[in-house]
Amino acid sequence: MQAVRVTNEVERINMKGRDGGEPWQLVKQKCILDQGDGLGFVFAVTIPNGESPYTPGEYHIDPQSYVPGRFDRIELDARKLRLLPIRSVAQAKAS
C-alpha cells in the first residue's frame, strides 16, 4: 500500500458565500504520495469544515475514499478523500 506523507503546510483561503450567503474558509493541507521513485506526487487534501488539519506524519488512503467508476473501474473521490494514520491501520490488522 502506498504511503501518503502529510506535511505541516496548511493553506487557509477565505471564500465569499454564494448569493450573499455566509463567508467560509477553505482549508487545504499539502501531502506527498510516495510512488517509490524518491520524488513523490505532491497534492493537497481539503480539510472538512470544522475539522482540524491532519497531524504531520505517514498515512494510507482510507478505502472509503474510493468509489465505483464507469466501465467497472475504481476511482478516488477527491471530495471524500480521507487519510488513516499508518500506525492505526497496523494496529487494526493486529487485533
Side-chain angles (χ1 to χ4, degrees):
M1 199 178 271
Q2 292 179 312
V4 174
R5 185 166 29 105
V6 174
T7 72
N8 62 357
E9 293 180 44
V10 176
E11 181 181 11
R12 298 174 192 279
I13 304 166
N14 293 319
M15 307 294 286
K16 293 182 179 179
R18 282 189 166 167
D19 299 324
E22 299 246 349
W24 56 284
Q25 193 173 65
L26 175 66
V27 181
K28 299 189 311 183
Q29 190 166 9
K30 181 180 172 185
C31 300
I32 302 167
L33 177 64
D34 180 3
Q35 296 178 306
D37 60 5
L39 301 174
F41 175 77
V42 179
F43 68 99
V45 63
T46 302
I47 306 300
N49 207 14
E51 291 187 21
S52 298
Y54 290 98
T55 302
E58 299 287 319
Y59 291 79
H60 285 303
I61 296 174
D62 185 338
Q64 293 183 10
S65 299
Y66 295 97
V67 295
R70 295 179 59 187
F71 309 111
D72 297 325
R73 296 184 182 180
I74 190 166
E75 296 178 358
L76 182 66
D77 186 339
R79 291 171 289 165
K80 293 182 179 180
L81 179 61
R82 298 292 177 265
L83 302 174
L84 298 173
I86 287 180
R87 270 177 279 164
S88 294
V89 173
Q91 289 170 351
K93 287 182 179 179
S95 54

